[in-house]
Amino acid sequence: MTTRTLSTLCVVLCVLGSGLVLGDLLRWHRTLGLVRFFDADEFAYLHWAAHMAAGRVPYRDFFLFVPPGFGWFLMPLFFFGHGISPLIAARVMEFAVFTLLVGVTIGLFWLLRRSWLALLAGVFLAFLPLPFDKFIEVRPDTLAALLVTGGIVGEILWMREKGARYGVLAGVLYAASLIVLPKTLPGVVVGVGIAAGSAMGRGEDGKRGEGKRMVRMLAAPALGFLLPLLMFGVWCLSVGNLPLVLYSIFRLPFEVNEISRTFVMMPDLFFYPNAVYFGAGGWGEALLVNHALWMAGLVFGLYRLLTPVLTRGKTYLWEELLLALNFLALVFFYVEFIPLKHAQYLIPIAVFVAWYSADMLDSLWQKMKRSTAGIVVFGVAALGLLGLLYSVNAAAEQPKLAGTNTQNLTALAVLYRTLPRATPVLDLVGSMLYYPDPYYACCLPIGQFAAYLSRPLPPLAAALEREKVPYIYQGEPGRVSTLLPADQEYIRLHYHPVADGDPALLVRH
């Protein structure tokens, strides 16, 4: 058998193996997404989206400290669904978004490396135990990562002069990511900087007018970037209180995150042994393989940043820098600037960890495929790695199926059927999607950050007394304990659990 034939056989077997394992990993994401318990933050986003769908306006009618982009994304669920169905549909949507993110990651790898190992980038992304669970939760992070990654693909095609439409597409996706989640700013800044550098570099040969050519080159991405932001600006004006909107988007998030002074979260918090992400405590297989991939991705990403010309020469310098600087900016932003380092903020970093881990193996493959022995060794190792990922993933995810959403959804379905929809409910979690909010803020532990707000919230106890609010939904564990002491005391004196003893719903005496 010739080296070429053996190489083809190796590629075919590895591609088939990668496809099968990727399919199984996505199946686990779908299964876990349908059965896993809902986090309180997920209910908050769904609650806000439900109220937006009902005609209420963010910032003006209810407290919000993120842009409304993700709420707009979720709104159609409440046009076509009711009861608990939008909750399940939202998880299905998140699975679809994650599947697209995997696909775009694979496409990005193929675009830059033209290698069958592109599939392995998707496998690694779908495997990573940290942040496996967060990919399918109802949060803006996965959607924002998809938009930025799609923007990178569009920018690369634009830099290759495949058409101005790709520049427009890149600009639109970058801007949309900011409207969904401002934490994409580091990637957007890198994308804008690389676009400007690439456009300037086109005129350095002296054969063209540098200034005019640069302006023409940048017109497409600039147009794409500005259009969504201008439309969003018009919407902000339509709210009727621009100072409040600007405060809510640009200053309020920093004030709310001042609680990081009390709840300190170190960058490596989730990388220590824990059963939540790795299926079991201790230094088990899932944790070790996860850490190996993270280390491989971080090290090789840094290597690509320091040696961008060595990869494919000067012709593709800007493309290599676009990826590597994005990666570095995201890691630096997470470590140095994000105050509350929750696991979902690892999502955009995980995309590059998976990408550069596959890139490292592709670099190794390019060397080993030159000899028969190298092909055999690489093929056996690659298939062994795929088998390892398959078995480790199943062992890590199986225990998580015990934490189901069945009891929670059943209880909510009963409440939705029995509690009249016109009944005001102070919702401290977000689960009461369809009920009027009697207070400006909902769905959050407002007592924990109230002291940091430069625009204080109205007194809660006074609002409860004035409106004679009949119900408080605090969820489990009870979020009443996160309110200010005076508000807790008022609720203790005027509310008690409903007749069946359910501590989640309190009724006024």
Side-chain angles (χ1 to χ4, degrees):
M1 185 180 293
T2 65
T3 300
R4 183 175 181 179
T5 303
L6 185 61
S7 176
T8 302
L9 178 62
C10 175
V11 169
V12 170
L13 291 175
C14 289
V15 166
L16 288 174
S18 298
L20 290 172
V21 172
L22 179 57
D24 185 69
L25 294 170
L26 291 176
R27 179 183 65 84
W28 273 105
H29 278 275
R30 182 202 64 197
T31 300
L32 193 65
L34 292 175
V35 305
R36 186 178 184 274
F37 65 89
F38 281 85
D39 187 84
D41 289 350
E42 296 183 81
F43 282 124
Y45 284 113
L46 286 162
H47 184 105
W48 294 327
H51 282 243
M52 290 163 66
R56 299 179 182 92
V57 180
Y59 315 123
R60 187 187 71 194
D61 296 334
F62 60 87
F63 180 90
L64 190 66
F65 60 94
V66 294
F70 189 59
W72 291 337
F73 175 74
L74 295 175
M75 275 176 58
L77 298 177
F78 298 95
F79 295 146
F80 304 105
H82 56 86
I84 64 171
S85 63
L87 282 76
I88 300 300
R91 282 285 184 83
V92 174
M93 284 178 64
E94 285 294 328
F95 170 70
V97 169
F98 175 68
T99 302
L100 286 173
L101 178 60
V102 170
V104 172
T105 302
I106 292 171
L108 179 61
F109 197 96
W110 177 258
L111 184 63
L112 267 66
R113 299 292 184 258
R114 296 292 177 181
S115 170
W116 64 269
L117 281 151
L119 267 179
L120 204 57
V123 169
F124 287 157
L125 181 59
F127 167 80
L128 286 173
L130 192 64
F132 189 102
D133 299 2
K134 299 301 177 182
F135 282 124
I136 45 82
E137 288 186 349
V138 186
R139 303 177 182 276
D141 306 82
T142 305
L143 177 61
L146 171 63
L147 293 170
V148 171
T149 309
I152 291 172
V153 172
E155 184 169 353
I156 290 172
L157 292 171
W158 168 77
M159 287 192 292
R160 292 184 182 180
E161 300 190 57
K162 299 294 185 181
R165 64 184 181 277
Y166 292 110
V168 174
L169 175 65
V172 167
L173 293 177
Y174 284 147
S177 75
L178 292 172
I179 298 171
V180 169
L181 188 67
K183 287 185 175 69
T184 63
L185 182 62
V188 173
V189 169
V190 169
V192 171
I194 292 295
S198 172
M200 286 195 307
R202 303 292 173 89
E204 289 180 354
D205 56 13
K207 296 179 181 179
R208 308 176 181 88
E210 292 185 24
K212 290 183 179 180
R213 177 166 173 76
M214 181 179 175
V215 170
R216 287 198 302 270
M217 283 290 297
L218 291 176
L223 177 64
F225 187 71
L226 291 174
L227 277 177
L229 295 182
L230 288 173
M231 293 171 65
F232 181 60
V234 171
W235 178 86
C236 291
L237 289 172
S238 73
V239 172
N241 190 339
L242 186 60
L244 176 61
V245 174
L246 295 177
Y247 164 76
S248 300
I249 294 175
F250 294 106
R251 184 172 179 178
L252 183 56
F254 295 99
E255 295 179 350
V256 169
N257 280 309
E258 284 293 314
I259 62 174
S260 61
R261 297 180 184 180
T262 304
F263 303 97
V264 179
M265 304 177 73
M266 300 302 292
D268 58 349
L269 174 63
F270 297 103
F271 289 88
Y272 290 102
N274 68 82
V276 175
Y277 292 101
F278 305 114
W283 293 86
E285 286 184 334
L287 182 144
L288 293 174
V289 177
N290 176 83
H291 286 26
L293 288 173
W294 272 85
M295 288 302 298
L298 289 168
V299 170
F300 207 73
L302 180 61
Y303 167 74
R304 289 301 198 202
L305 175 64
L306 297 176
T307 60
V309 178
L310 297 182
T311 308
R312 293 180 295 156
K314 291 184 179 180
T315 304
Y316 299 101
L317 170 65
W318 294 109
E319 296 180 9
E320 296 297 326
L321 286 176
L322 176 60
L323 257 68
L325 286 173
N326 246 291
F327 192 18
L328 175 67
L330 288 169
V331 172
F332 183 75
F333 186 68
Y334 176 78
V335 173
E336 295 294 333
F337 291 104
I338 292 182
L340 294 172
K341 303 180 194 306
H342 295 293
Q344 61 264 28
Y345 302 145
L346 295 172
I347 286 175
I349 303 176
V351 173
F352 290 96
V353 166
W355 202 97
Y356 278 114
S357 295
D359 191 28
M360 182 185 69
L361 292 182
D362 182 59
S363 180
L364 184 62
W365 166 248
Q366 300 307 322
K367 295 178 175 62
M368 297 188 72
K369 70 179 184 179
R370 299 168 186 168
S371 68
T372 300
I375 293 170
V376 172
V377 170
F378 188 92
V380 171
L383 292 173
L385 174 61
L386 289 169
L388 177 66
L389 297 179
Y390 173 85
S391 61
V392 169
N393 177 76
E397 303 308 320
Q398 185 67 42
K400 299 177 185 179
L401 298 180
T404 69
N405 55 40
T406 303
Q407 183 176 356
N408 194 191
L409 292 181
T410 301
L412 288 177
V414 172
L415 281 175
Y416 295 160
R417 288 197 304 268
T418 57
L419 202 62
R421 290 293 172 87
T423 305
V425 179
L426 175 65
D427 190 352
L428 299 178
V429 179
S431 304
M432 307 304 287
L433 306 177
Y434 309 102
Y435 296 86
D437 289 325
Y439 184 67
Y440 180 62
C442 78
C443 317
L444 300 166
I446 54 179
Q448 294 177 348
F449 56 77
Y452 302 114
L453 303 184
S454 58
R455 293 190 176 196
L457 292 170
L460 175 59
L464 293 174
E465 177 65 26
R466 182 178 62 254
E467 302 294 332
K468 297 294 187 289
V469 176
Y471 293 101
I472 296 175
Y473 189 85
Q474 64 167 343
E476 296 179 19
R479 266 205 172 167
V480 167
S481 63
T482 67
L483 300 175
L484 294 174
D487 296 328
Q488 293 185 45
E489 179 62 17
Y490 178 88
I491 291 172
R492 186 186 68 80
L493 293 174
H494 295 85
Y495 292 85
H496 64 271
V498 293
D500 63 359
D502 183 359
L505 184 66
L506 305 179
V507 62
R508 193 176 183 89
H509 295 328

